[in-house]
Amino acid sequence: MSRAHSCLFEEHLLLGAQFETDEEGRERVASYPFAHAEFQVDCTYLMDMEGHPFAYAHGQLASSFISCVSASALPDVDSIRPSLLLSGTGGVLSLPFIARAAADEYVIFDYSSRADTTFSWLSFVQAIEEGGSHPFQALQLEHEISDLIPLGLVGTGAAAIIQDYLGSHEQAPFSLTLKSYRFDGTIPVLVFSFSSACYLLFVPRARARILWRSLLSHTELAPTAPKNFKRVLAQVCPRLARMDAAPDLDDLSSIPEFSTAALRADQLIRNDTNFIGARSLQHA
């Protein structure tokens, strides 16, 4: 199968999907032909999120790297939080979600219009040179995990559907946490919970089609285009919608919700000065 196609491409063809091509030449689902695939906030949907960018930072330098690029406190292990990225001049670049899968393992998600800014900035900081040394040269920063496929599961029935695959002693993860499961006792799935109505399921590539078909056997669930994932995510963090309303701004701090005072009030800026942009904020 061409890398221009998702591993679920044939599944989408069977469902009559219409496709659009992104800037990298990858075909993504644009729509499905049935009425109930039209996105509604009070329904439940499944999305193929393969090819949508995220970053995986891991290794001994991961925590110091995330602490440097993010003005927000590090998430606890097995938790997720929105995290503020600032430029060297203190300008607001973006607000991705950062999940901490282990002491030195982080996954950075950005499905907003600022995604290119986020991931370009991470790569830029990794390559920074100071006095002839590269402090993050040995950092392991990847932009895909080739053997895992992310599926988006959103909507009012999402938590109940996850629960259907779990044992009687297990429960779906709480909001802003992540947890590993074996769905039906057999399929390993890493579940990122952004809310009780917004999940990402990372499933091994070899089992992705099996889980996709199994999930769609739930009559209350319909497939939808992956672009709708951020609509649900914006309900978790309303600032995301404000970012998408101003895609051309280099610095978001002119938007009231992104003023330093507003960000500090919501504890998105920590008190130390060991992150990029901190000293500029002190003199602002």
Side-chain angles (χ1 to χ4, degrees), residues 65-77:
F65 176 75
I66 296 297
S67 185
C68 176
V69 297
S70 171
S72 306
L74 292 181
D76 295 329
V77 173

Side-chain angles (χ1 to χ4, degrees), residues 49-213:
M49 303 299 292
E50 185 182 1
H52 287 260
F54 62 89
Y56 174 44
H58 56 109
Q60 292 183 346
L61 295 176
S63 291
S64 59
F65 176 75
I66 296 297
S67 185
C68 176
V69 297
S70 171
S72 306
L74 292 181
D76 295 329
V77 173
D78 293 334
S79 69
I80 307 168
R81 64 169 298 155
S83 299
L84 185 69
L85 304 192
L86 302 177
S87 68
T89 59
V92 177
L93 296 176
S94 63
L95 189 67
F97 282 85
I98 297 181
R100 192 173 188 177
D104 290 309
E105 291 187 28
Y106 299 84
V107 185
I108 302 95
F109 299 102
D110 193 337
Y111 296 108
S112 75
S113 60
R114 312 288 292 190
D116 287 346
T117 298
T118 293
F119 299 115
S120 295
W121 182 245
L122 295 177
S123 297
F124 173 79
V125 174
Q126 184 192 20
I128 283 177
E129 179 182 351
E130 278 186 7
S133 67
H134 297 79
F136 297 117
Q137 185 175 27
L139 173 75
Q140 299 177 72
L141 182 65
E142 304 170 42
H143 292 279
E144 67 174 356
I145 305 174
S146 60
D147 59 340
L148 293 178
I149 302 299
L151 304 178
L153 180 63
V154 304
T156 54
I161 288 174
I162 289 176
Q163 193 63 50
D164 190 47
Y165 288 91
L166 306 182
S168 58
H169 61 289
E170 295 179 306
Q171 61 180 6
F174 297 113
S175 296
L176 297 178
T177 66
L178 58 142
K179 190 172 182 180
S180 294
Y181 299 94
R182 283 193 173 272
F183 277 19
D184 282 340
T186 60
I187 302 176
V189 181
L190 178 58
V191 180
F192 294 82
S193 171
F194 297 92
S195 77
S196 61
C198 186
Y199 300 90
L200 277 177
L201 316 179
F202 277 72
V203 59
R205 179 176 293 272
R207 311 299 292 274
R209 293 181 73 171
I210 295 171
L211 184 58
W212 174 267
R213 291 186 177 188

Side-chain angles (χ1 to χ4, degrees), residues 2-15:
S2 168
R3 290 305 297 270
H5 292 157
S6 158
C7 80
L8 295 172
F9 181 70
E10 292 178 356
E11 298 297 313
H12 302 314
L13 288 178
L14 291 172
L15 293 168

